[in-house]
Amino acid sequence: MNCRLGCVLCCIAPSITSVIPGMPKGKPAGVRCIQLNDDNFCMIFGLPDRPDVCAEFSASIDACGTTNEQALWLITDLESSTC
Ligand code: SF4
Ligand code: SF4
């Protein structure tokens, strides 16, 4: 599936344990990534500092659903079932 422009829930809903520039311990679930700018673009997209987990995540119906609300609960659910 194609990513929904402006959704960005994969930069908010999951926890990320890798180092993110400006977030040396990664980020907790539900916290907006510090690298997400006001226009909802990743400021380190394509740069080596971007966590591998971000590059590896791609839009799928299982994780993103068909609405942003579904993405929030699906990613939160995935998170709780893998921790
Ligand atoms: S949660 Fe899915 S649809 Fe939303 S921005 Fe991330 S990849 Fe795209
Ligand atoms: S580093 Fe970029 S892609 Fe990864 S969570 Fe932060 S804003 Fe999103």
Side-chain angles (χ1 to χ4, degrees):
M1 68 171 273
N2 292 324
C3 178
R4 286 185 300 275
L5 195 64
C7 163
V8 299
L9 280 166
C10 51
C11 302
I12 299 171
S15 62
I16 294 179
T17 53
S18 342
V19 173
I20 301 168
M23 299 179 112
K25 295 183 177 168
K27 75 168 209 66
V31 170
R32 185 180 173 91
C33 178
I34 202 167
Q35 293 298 333
L36 199 55
N37 71 13
D38 291 343
D39 294 323
N40 285 342
F41 288 111
C42 174
M43 295 187 287
I44 55 172
F45 188 87
L47 299 180
D49 285 350
R50 186 178 180 228
D52 290 345
V53 67
C54 300
E56 287 159 8
F57 187 87
S58 57
S60 71
I61 196 75
D62 289 346
C64 310
T66 55
T67 63
N68 296 359
E69 290 71 26
Q70 279 185 10
L72 176 59
W73 64 257
L74 284 168
I75 293 173
T76 303
D77 190 53
L78 261 177
E79 166 96 9
S80 54
S81 62
T82 52
C83 287

Coordinates of all heavy atoms in Angstrom, one line a residue:
M1 N 0.8 -1.2 0.0 CA 0.0 0.0 0.0 C 0.9 1.2 0.0 O 2.1 1.2 0.4 CB -0.9 0.0 1.2 CG -0.2 0.2 2.6 SD -1.4 0.5 3.9 CE -1.6 2.2 3.9
N2 N 0.3 2.4 -0.4 CA 1.0 3.6 -0.4 C 0.9 4.3 1.0 O -0.2 4.2 1.6 CB 0.5 4.6 -1.4 CG 0.8 4.1 -2.8 OD1 1.9 3.5 -3.1 ND2 -0.1 4.3 -3.8
C3 N 1.9 4.9 1.5 CA 1.9 5.6 2.7 C 0.9 6.8 2.6 O 0.9 7.4 1.5 CB 3.3 6.1 3.0 SG 3.4 7.1 4.5
R4 N 0.1 7.0 3.6 CA -0.8 8.2 3.6 C 0.0 9.4 4.0 O 0.4 9.6 5.1 CB -2.0 8.0 4.6 CG -3.0 7.0 4.2 CD -4.2 7.0 5.2 NE -3.8 6.6 6.5 CZ -3.7 5.4 6.9 NH1 -3.9 4.4 6.1 NH2 -3.3 5.1 8.2
L5 N 0.1 10.3 3.1 CA 0.9 11.5 3.3 C 0.4 12.3 4.5 O -0.8 12.5 4.7 CB 0.9 12.4 2.1 CG 1.9 13.6 2.0 CD1 3.3 13.0 1.9 CD2 1.6 14.5 0.8
G6 N 1.3 12.6 5.5 CA 0.8 13.4 6.6 C 0.4 12.6 7.8 O 0.1 13.1 8.9
C7 N 0.3 11.3 7.6 CA -0.2 10.4 8.7 C 0.8 10.4 9.9 O 0.5 10.8 11.0 CB -0.4 9.0 8.2 SG -0.6 7.7 9.5
V8 N 2.0 10.0 9.6 CA 3.2 10.0 10.5 C 3.0 9.3 11.8 O 3.8 9.5 12.7 CB 3.7 11.4 10.7 CG1 4.2 12.1 9.5 CG2 2.8 12.3 11.5
L9 N 2.0 8.4 11.9 CA 1.8 7.8 13.2 C 2.9 6.8 13.5 O 3.2 6.5 14.6 CB 0.4 7.1 13.2 CG -0.6 8.1 13.6 CD1 -2.0 7.6 13.3 CD2 -0.5 8.6 15.0
C10 N 3.6 6.3 12.4 CA 4.8 5.4 12.7 C 6.0 6.2 13.3 O 7.0 5.6 13.7 CB 5.2 4.7 11.4 SG 5.4 5.7 10.0
C11 N 5.9 7.5 13.3 CA 6.9 8.4 13.9 C 6.5 8.8 15.3 O 7.2 9.6 16.0 CB 7.2 9.6 13.1 SG 7.8 9.2 11.4
I12 N 5.3 8.4 15.7 CA 4.7 8.8 17.0 C 4.4 7.6 17.9 O 4.8 7.4 19.0 CB 3.5 9.7 16.8 CG1 3.8 11.0 16.1 CG2 2.8 10.0 18.2 CD1 2.6 11.8 15.6
A13 N 3.6 6.6 17.3 CA 3.0 5.6 18.1 C 4.0 4.6 18.7 O 3.9 4.2 19.8 CB 1.9 4.8 17.3
P14 N 5.0 4.1 17.9 CA 5.9 3.0 18.4 C 7.0 3.6 19.3 O 7.4 4.7 19.1 CB 6.4 2.3 17.2 CG 6.4 3.4 16.1 CD 5.3 4.3 16.5
S15 N 7.5 2.8 20.1 CA 8.8 3.1 20.8 C 9.9 2.8 19.8 O 9.8 1.9 19.0 CB 9.0 2.4 22.1 OG 9.0 1.0 21.8
I16 N 11.0 3.5 19.9 CA 12.2 3.3 19.1 C 13.4 3.2 20.1 O 13.6 4.1 20.9 CB 12.4 4.4 18.1 CG1 11.3 4.4 17.1 CG2 13.8 4.2 17.4 CD1 11.4 5.4 16.0
T17 N 14.1 2.1 20.1 CA 15.1 1.9 21.1 C 16.5 2.4 20.6 O 17.4 2.5 21.4 CB 15.2 0.4 21.6 OG1 15.3 -0.4 20.4 CG2 14.0 0.0 22.3
S18 N 16.6 2.6 19.3 CA 17.9 3.1 18.8 C 18.0 4.5 19.0 O 17.1 5.3 19.3 CB 18.0 2.9 17.2 OG 17.0 2.0 16.8
V19 N 19.3 5.0 19.0 CA 19.6 6.4 19.2 C 19.0 7.2 18.0 O 19.1 6.8 16.8 CB 21.1 6.6 19.2 CG1 21.5 8.1 19.2 CG2 21.8 5.9 20.3
I20 N 18.3 8.3 18.3 CA 17.8 9.2 17.3 C 18.6 10.6 17.7 O 18.6 10.9 18.9 CB 16.3 9.4 17.5 CG1 15.6 8.1 17.3 CG2 15.8 10.5 16.5 CD1 14.1 8.2 17.7
P21 N 19.1 11.3 16.7 CA 19.7 12.5 17.0 C 18.7 13.4 17.8 O 17.6 13.7 17.4 CB 20.0 13.2 15.6 CG 20.1 12.0 14.7 CD 19.2 10.9 15.3
G22 N 19.2 13.9 19.0 CA 18.3 14.7 19.9 C 17.5 13.8 20.8 O 16.9 14.4 21.8
M23 N 17.5 12.5 20.6 CA 16.8 11.6 21.6 C 17.8 10.4 21.8 O 17.6 9.3 21.2 CB 15.5 11.1 21.0 CG 14.5 12.2 20.8 SD 12.9 11.6 20.1 CE 11.8 11.9 21.4
P24 N 18.8 10.6 22.6 CA 19.9 9.6 22.7 C 19.5 8.2 23.2 O 20.1 7.2 22.9 CB 20.9 10.3 23.6 CG 20.2 11.4 24.3 CD 19.1 11.8 23.4
K25 N 18.3 8.2 23.9 CA 17.9 6.9 24.4 C 16.7 6.4 23.5 O 15.9 5.5 24.0 CB 17.4 7.0 25.9 CG 18.6 7.4 26.8 CD 18.1 7.4 28.2 CE 19.3 7.7 29.1 NZ 18.9 8.0 30.5
G26 N 16.5 7.0 22.4 CA 15.4 6.6 21.5 C 14.2 7.3 22.0 O 14.2 8.3 22.7
K27 N 13.0 6.7 21.7 CA 11.8 7.4 22.1 C 10.7 6.4 22.6 O 10.6 5.3 22.1 CB 11.2 8.3 21.0 CG 10.5 7.5 19.9 CD 9.7 8.4 19.0 CE 8.5 7.7 18.4 NZ 7.5 7.3 19.3
P28 N 10.0 6.9 23.7 CA 8.9 6.0 24.2 C 7.7 6.0 23.2 O 7.6 6.9 22.4 CB 8.5 6.7 25.5 CG 9.4 7.8 25.7 CD 10.1 8.1 24.4
A29 N 6.9 5.0 23.3 CA 5.7 4.9 22.5 C 4.8 6.1 22.8 O 4.7 6.6 23.9 CB 4.9 3.6 22.9
G30 N 4.2 6.6 21.7 CA 3.2 7.7 21.9 C 3.9 9.0 21.9 O 3.2 10.0 22.0
V31 N 5.2 9.1 21.8 CA 5.9 10.4 21.9 C 6.3 10.8 20.4 O 6.9 9.9 19.7 CB 7.1 10.3 22.8 CG1 8.0 11.6 22.7 CG2 6.7 10.1 24.2
R32 N 6.1 12.0 20.1 CA 6.4 12.4 18.7 C 8.0 12.5 18.6 O 8.6 13.0 19.5 CB 5.8 13.9 18.5 CG 6.0 14.4 17.2 CD 5.4 15.8 17.1 NE 5.7 16.5 15.9 CZ 4.9 16.4 14.8 NH1 3.8 15.7 14.8 NH2 5.3 17.0 13.7
C33 N 8.5 11.9 17.5 CA 9.9 11.9 17.3 C 10.4 13.4 17.1 O 9.8 14.2 16.4 CB 10.3 11.1 16.1 SG 12.1 11.1 15.7
I34 N 11.5 13.7 17.8 CA 12.1 15.0 17.7 C 12.5 15.4 16.3 O 12.6 16.6 16.0 CB 13.2 15.2 18.7 CG1 13.5 16.6 19.1 CG2 14.5 14.5 18.2 CD1 14.4 16.8 20.3
Q35 N 12.7 14.4 15.4 CA 13.1 14.7 14.1 C 12.0 14.9 13.1 O 12.2 15.2 11.9 CB 14.0 13.6 13.6 CG 15.3 13.4 14.3 CD 16.2 14.7 14.1 OE1 16.1 15.4 13.1 NE2 17.1 15.0 15.1
L36 N 10.8 14.9 13.6 CA 9.6 15.1 12.8 C 9.3 16.6 12.8 O 9.1 17.2 13.9 CB 8.4 14.4 13.4 CG 7.2 14.1 12.5 CD1 7.6 13.3 11.2 CD2 6.2 13.2 13.3
N37 N 9.4 17.3 11.7 CA 9.3 18.8 11.7 C 7.8 19.2 11.7 O 6.9 18.3 11.6 CB 10.1 19.5 10.6 CG 9.5 19.2 9.2 OD1 8.4 18.7 9.0 ND2 10.3 19.5 8.2
D38 N 7.5 20.5 11.7 CA 6.2 20.9 11.8 C 5.4 20.6 10.6 O 4.1 20.6 10.6 CB 6.1 22.5 12.0 CG 6.6 22.8 13.4 OD1 6.7 22.0 14.3 OD2 7.0 24.0 13.6
D39 N 6.1 20.3 9.5 CA 5.4 19.9 8.2 C 5.2 18.4 8.2 O 4.9 17.8 7.1 CB 6.1 20.4 7.0 CG 6.1 21.9 6.9 OD1 5.0 22.5 7.3 OD2 7.1 22.5 6.5
N40 N 5.5 17.7 9.3 CA 5.5 16.2 9.3 C 6.4 15.5 8.4 O 6.0 14.5 7.8 CB 4.0 15.8 9.1 CG 3.2 16.0 10.4 OD1 3.7 16.2 11.5 ND2 1.9 16.0 10.2
F41 N 7.6 16.1 8.2 CA 8.6 15.4 7.4 C 9.8 15.1 8.3 O 10.1 15.8 9.3 CB 9.1 16.3 6.3 CG 8.1 16.4 5.1 CD1 7.5 17.7 4.9 CD2 7.8 15.4 4.3 CE1 6.5 17.8 3.9 CE2 6.8 15.5 3.3 CZ 6.2 16.7 3.1
C42 N 10.4 13.9 8.0 CA 11.5 13.5 8.8 C 12.7 14.3 8.4 O 13.1 14.4 7.2 CB 11.8 12.0 8.5 SG 13.3 11.4 9.3
M43 N 13.3 15.0 9.4 CA 14.5 15.9 9.0 C 15.7 15.2 8.7 O 16.7 15.8 8.3 CB 14.7 16.9 10.2 CG 13.5 17.9 10.3 SD 13.8 19.2 11.5 CE 13.7 18.3 13.0
I44 N 15.8 13.9 9.0 CA 17.0 13.1 8.8 C 16.8 12.0 7.8 O 17.5 11.0 7.7 CB 17.6 12.5 10.1 CG1 16.6 11.7 10.9 CG2 18.2 13.7 10.9 CD1 17.2 11.0 12.1
F45 N 15.7 12.1 7.0 CA 15.4 11.1 6.0 C 16.6 11.0 5.0 O 17.1 12.0 4.5 CB 14.1 11.5 5.2 CG 13.7 10.5 4.3 CD1 12.8 9.5 4.7 CD2 14.1 10.4 2.9 CE1 12.3 8.5 3.9 CE2 13.6 9.5 2.1 CZ 12.8 8.5 2.5
G46 N 17.0 9.8 4.8 CA 18.1 9.5 3.9 C 19.5 9.7 4.5 O 20.5 9.4 3.8
L47 N 19.6 10.2 5.7 CA 20.9 10.4 6.3 C 21.2 9.2 7.2 O 20.3 8.4 7.7 CB 20.8 11.6 7.2 CG 20.5 12.9 6.5 CD1 20.5 14.1 7.5 CD2 21.6 13.2 5.4
P48 N 22.5 8.9 7.4 CA 23.0 7.7 8.1 C 22.5 7.7 9.6 O 22.4 6.6 10.2 CB 24.5 7.8 8.1 CG 24.9 9.0 7.4 CD 23.6 9.7 6.8
D49 N 22.2 8.9 10.1 CA 21.7 8.9 11.5 C 20.3 8.4 11.7 O 19.8 8.2 12.8 CB 21.8 10.4 12.1 CG 23.2 10.8 12.4 OD1 24.1 9.9 12.3 OD2 23.4 12.0 12.6
R50 N 19.6 8.3 10.6 CA 18.2 7.8 10.8 C 18.2 6.4 11.2 O 18.9 5.5 10.6 CB 17.5 8.0 9.4 CG 16.0 7.7 9.5 CD 15.4 7.9 8.1 NE 13.9 7.6 8.0 CZ 13.4 6.8 7.1 NH1 14.1 6.3 6.2 NH2 12.1 6.7 7.1
P51 N 17.5 6.0 12.3 CA 17.5 4.7 12.7 C 17.1 3.6 11.7 O 16.2 3.9 10.8 CB 16.4 4.6 13.9 CG 16.3 6.1 14.3 CD 16.6 6.9 13.1
D52 N 17.8 2.5 11.7 CA 17.5 1.5 10.7 C 16.0 1.1 10.7 O 15.4 0.8 9.7 CB 18.4 0.2 11.0 CG 19.8 0.5 10.6 OD1 20.1 1.5 9.9 OD2 20.7 -0.3 11.1
V53 N 15.5 1.0 11.9 CA 14.1 0.6 12.1 C 13.1 1.5 11.3 O 12.1 1.0 10.8 CB 13.7 0.5 13.6 CG1 13.7 1.9 14.2 CG2 12.4 -0.2 13.8
C54 N 13.5 2.7 11.2 CA 12.6 3.7 10.4 C 12.7 3.3 8.9 O 11.7 3.3 8.2 CB 13.1 5.1 10.6 SG 13.0 5.6 12.3
A55 N 13.9 3.1 8.5 CA 14.1 2.7 7.0 C 13.4 1.4 6.7 O 13.0 1.2 5.6 CB 15.6 2.7 6.7
E56 N 13.4 0.5 7.7 CA 12.9 -0.8 7.4 C 11.3 -0.9 7.5 O 10.7 -1.8 7.0 CB 13.4 -1.8 8.5 CG 14.9 -2.2 8.2 CD 15.6 -2.7 9.4 OE1 14.9 -2.9 10.5 OE2 16.8 -2.8 9.4
F57 N 10.7 0.1 8.1 CA 9.3 0.1 8.2 C 8.7 0.6 6.9 O 9.0 1.6 6.4 CB 8.9 1.1 9.4 CG 7.4 1.0 9.7 CD1 6.9 0.1 10.6 CD2 6.5 1.9 9.1 CE1 5.5 0.0 10.9 CE2 5.1 1.8 9.4 CZ 4.7 0.9 10.3
S58 N 7.7 -0.2 6.4 CA 7.0 0.3 5.2 C 5.5 0.2 5.4 O 5.1 -0.7 6.3 CB 7.5 -0.4 4.0 OG 7.3 -1.8 4.1
A59 N 4.8 1.0 4.7 CA 3.3 1.0 4.9 C 2.8 -0.4 4.6 O 3.1 -1.0 3.6 CB 2.7 2.1 4.0
S60 N 1.9 -0.9 5.4 CA 1.2 -2.1 5.1 C -0.2 -2.0 5.7 O -0.4 -1.3 6.7 CB 2.0 -3.3 5.7 OG 1.8 -3.3 7.1
I61 N -1.1 -2.8 5.2 CA -2.5 -2.7 5.7 C -2.5 -3.2 7.1 O -3.3 -2.7 7.9 CB -3.4 -3.5 4.7 CG1 -4.9 -3.1 5.0 CG2 -3.2 -5.0 4.8 CD1 -5.3 -1.8 4.5
D62 N -1.6 -4.2 7.5 CA -1.6 -4.7 8.8 C -1.2 -3.7 9.9 O -1.6 -3.7 11.0 CB -0.6 -5.9 8.9 CG -1.2 -7.1 8.2 OD1 -2.4 -7.1 7.8 OD2 -0.4 -8.0 7.9
A63 N -0.3 -2.8 9.5 CA 0.2 -1.8 10.5 C -0.5 -0.5 10.4 O -0.7 0.2 11.4 CB 1.7 -1.6 10.3
C64 N -0.9 -0.1 9.2 CA -1.4 1.2 8.9 C -2.9 1.3 8.8 O -3.5 2.4 8.9 CB -0.8 1.8 7.7 SG 1.0 1.6 7.6
G65 N -3.6 0.2 8.5 CA -5.0 0.1 8.3 C -5.4 1.0 7.2 O -4.6 1.3 6.3
T66 N -6.6 1.6 7.3 CA -7.1 2.4 6.2 C -7.3 3.8 6.6 O -7.7 4.7 5.8 CB -8.5 1.9 5.6 OG1 -9.4 1.7 6.7 CG2 -8.2 0.5 5.0
T67 N -7.1 4.1 7.9 CA -7.3 5.5 8.4 C -6.1 5.7 9.4 O -5.5 4.8 9.9 CB -8.6 5.7 9.2 OG1 -8.6 4.9 10.3 CG2 -9.8 5.4 8.3
N68 N -5.9 7.0 9.7 CA -4.9 7.3 10.7 C -5.2 6.8 12.1 O -4.4 6.3 12.9 CB -4.7 8.8 10.8 CG -4.1 9.4 9.5 OD1 -3.9 8.6 8.5 ND2 -3.9 10.7 9.4
E69 N -6.5 6.8 12.4 CA -7.0 6.3 13.7 C -6.7 4.8 13.8 O -6.2 4.3 14.8 CB -8.5 6.5 13.9 CG -8.9 7.9 14.1 CD -8.8 8.8 12.8 OE1 -8.8 8.3 11.7 OE2 -8.6 10.0 13.0
Q70 N -6.9 4.1 12.7 CA -6.6 2.6 12.7 C -5.1 2.4 12.9 O -4.7 1.5 13.6 CB -7.1 2.0 11.4 CG -8.5 1.6 11.4 CD -8.9 0.9 10.1 OE1 -8.1 0.4 9.4 NE2 -10.2 0.7 9.9
A71 N -4.3 3.3 12.2 CA -2.8 3.1 12.3 C -2.4 3.3 13.8 O -1.6 2.5 14.3 CB -2.1 4.1 11.4
L72 N -3.0 4.2 14.5 CA -2.7 4.5 15.9 C -2.9 3.2 16.7 O -2.0 2.8 17.4 CB -3.5 5.7 16.4 CG -3.2 6.0 17.9 CD1 -1.8 6.2 18.2 CD2 -4.1 7.1 18.4
W73 N -4.1 2.6 16.6 CA -4.3 1.5 17.4 C -3.6 0.2 16.9 O -3.2 -0.6 17.7 CB -5.8 1.3 17.8 CG -6.8 1.0 16.8 CD1 -7.7 1.9 16.3 CD2 -7.2 -0.3 16.2 NE1 -8.6 1.2 15.4 CE2 -8.2 -0.1 15.3 CE3 -6.6 -1.5 16.3 CZ2 -8.8 -1.1 14.6 CZ3 -7.2 -2.6 15.5 CH2 -8.2 -2.3 14.7
L74 N -3.5 0.1 15.6 CA -2.8 -1.1 15.1 C -1.3 -1.1 15.5 O -0.8 -2.1 16.0 CB -2.9 -1.2 13.6 CG -4.2 -1.7 13.0 CD1 -4.3 -1.4 11.5 CD2 -4.4 -3.1 13.3
I75 N -0.7 0.1 15.4 CA 0.8 0.1 15.7 C 0.9 0.0 17.2 O 1.8 -0.7 17.7 CB 1.4 1.5 15.2 CG1 1.4 1.4 13.7 CG2 2.8 1.6 15.8 CD1 1.9 2.7 13.0
T76 N 0.0 0.6 18.0 CA 0.1 0.5 19.5 C -0.1 -1.0 19.9 O 0.6 -1.5 20.7 CB -1.0 1.4 20.1 OG1 -0.8 2.7 19.6 CG2 -0.9 1.3 21.6
D77 N -1.0 -1.7 19.2 CA -1.3 -3.1 19.5 C -0.1 -3.9 19.1 O 0.3 -4.8 19.9 CB -2.5 -3.5 18.7 CG -3.0 -4.9 19.1 OD1 -3.2 -5.1 20.3 OD2 -3.1 -5.8 18.3
L78 N 0.5 -3.7 17.9 CA 1.7 -4.4 17.5 C 2.8 -4.2 18.6 O 3.5 -5.2 18.9 CB 2.3 -3.8 16.2 CG 1.9 -4.5 14.9 CD1 2.5 -3.7 13.7 CD2 2.5 -5.9 14.9
E79 N 2.9 -3.0 19.0 CA 4.0 -2.6 20.0 C 3.8 -3.4 21.3 O 4.7 -4.1 21.8 CB 3.8 -1.1 20.3 CG 4.6 -0.6 21.5 CD 5.9 0.0 21.2 OE1 6.2 0.1 20.0 OE2 6.7 0.2 22.1
S80 N 2.5 -3.5 21.8 CA 2.3 -4.2 23.0 C 2.4 -5.7 22.9 O 2.8 -6.4 23.8 CB 0.9 -3.8 23.6 OG -0.1 -4.0 22.7
S81 N 2.2 -6.2 21.7 CA 2.3 -7.6 21.5 C 3.7 -8.1 21.2 O 4.0 -9.3 21.3 CB 1.4 -8.1 20.4 OG 1.8 -7.5 19.2
T82 N 4.6 -7.2 21.0 CA 6.0 -7.5 20.7 C 6.9 -7.2 21.8 O 8.1 -7.4 21.8 CB 6.6 -6.9 19.4 OG1 6.3 -5.5 19.5 CG2 5.9 -7.5 18.2
C83 N 6.4 -6.5 22.9 CA 7.3 -6.1 24.0 C 7.3 -7.2 25.1 O 6.4 -7.9 25.2 CB 6.8 -4.8 24.6 SG 7.2 -3.4 23.6
Ligands
SF4_1 S1 1.7 4.7 9.9 FE1 1.7 3.8 7.8 S2 0.4 5.2 6.6 FE2 1.0 6.3 8.5 S3 2.9 7.4 7.9 FE3 3.5 5.5 8.8 S4 3.8 4.1 7.0 FE4 2.6 5.9 6.3
SF4_2 S1 13.8 9.5 12.7 FE1 12.5 10.2 11.1 S2 11.4 8.4 10.3 FE2 12.3 7.8 12.2 S3 10.7 8.2 13.8 FE3 11.9 10.0 13.6 S4 10.9 11.3 12.2 FE4 10.1 9.3 11.9

